[in-house]
Amino acid sequence: MNKYEKTKSSGLDWLGDIPSHWQVKRLKNIARINPLKNIADDADDVTTFLPMEKVSEKGEIDCSLKRPVKDLLNGFTYFEKNDIILAKITPCFENGKGAYLDKLDTPFGFGSTEFHVIRTLEKLDATFLYYVTTSNLFRDLGEASMTGSGGQKRVPTSFVENFPLAFPPLPEQRAIAAYLDQKNRPARHAADAERNPAAEAAPEAAGPHRRSRDAGA
């Protein structure tokens, strides 16, 4: 990826400088967070169900579990194809449980109540945003925002809604996402990978979101 010659302050110490033509936008202004169900209450279909164990730390989903929609309407999290889901509870959030649902095999589905759902609007590329949610910066800030105690700590909806995203124009978002897809394709399929390679690549390409957990920055 090309380096940016002109930068400006993001206005946030932890985010640092961003390319001069980028903006900073809160996620709630460019995406829907935990959107409402968009199906009839008397739906007769069968759909995909994703408990936490069906979502990997590498962004993969197992769509093999199907249940009647009527059994899932209450008490589970609703999502649609091409949404982004991310675990809200510890330690699943810190470990990177989440996925971009472009490979969901039904138009909609349901899952664990311990997922947040993000649905991007027209000026935000979902693949680009997924990579941001895998970055160390996003995880570190999310972990710091958790409420509750012990094994019941969760990332609140307000953190996701108010997360300040370094926001490039849409063509640039897509170029960054394509670069990351290409760079991480071999590592994503490595069975012995110890951590999500996308999480390491996202801050490298997206610049302003770069932060090293190991360095403690």
Side-chain angles (χ1 to χ4, degrees), residues 51-181:
M52 189 66 70
E53 62 267 22
K54 295 293 186 180
V55 179
S56 81
E57 296 170 3
K58 302 180 182 68
E60 300 159 346
I61 58 173
D62 178 352
C63 295
S64 61
L65 188 56
K66 300 292 190 289
R67 288 189 181 178
V69 172
K70 63 183 180 181
D71 293 346
L72 302 171
L73 285 170
N74 298 305
F76 297 100
T77 298
Y78 171 84
F79 44 74
E80 296 179 0
K81 188 178 179 70
N82 295 321
D83 283 348
I84 295 164
I85 57 173
L86 56 111
K88 65 173 80 167
I89 194 166
T90 190
C92 298
F93 174 81
E94 299 96 310
N95 291 342
K97 285 252 186 180
Y100 169 40
L101 299 180
D102 59 329
K103 293 181 174 58
L104 188 69
D105 64 349
T106 49
F108 63 88
F110 292 83
S112 168
T113 58
E114 299 296 350
F115 287 124
H116 283 306
V117 179
I118 307 173
R119 184 170 303 152
T120 58
L121 299 179
E122 60 182 13
K123 293 185 178 180
L124 179 58
D125 182 79
T127 306
F128 170 79
L129 180 60
Y130 169 69
Y131 280 121
V132 172
T133 67
T134 67
S135 68
N136 286 340
L137 172 60
F138 186 88
R139 291 184 192 170
D140 286 350
L141 293 173
E143 183 179 358
S145 78
M146 283 182 165
T147 59
S149 59
Q152 297 301 310
K153 294 178 68 175
R154 292 178 174 85
V155 174
T157 301
S158 59
F159 166 76
V160 183
E161 291 176 331
N162 293 308
F163 180 76
L165 180 69
F167 186 66
L170 185 57
E172 202 167 335
Q173 295 174 40
R174 289 171 175 161
I176 291 170
Y179 166 84
L180 292 169
D181 279 340

Side-chain angles (χ1 to χ4, degrees), residues 25-40:
K25 290 183 177 286
R26 294 192 184 277
L27 202 47
K28 64 182 178 182
N29 295 325
I30 48 177
R32 293 193 179 98
I33 312 302
N34 298 324
L36 298 176
K37 292 193 294 288
N38 188 31
I39 55 171

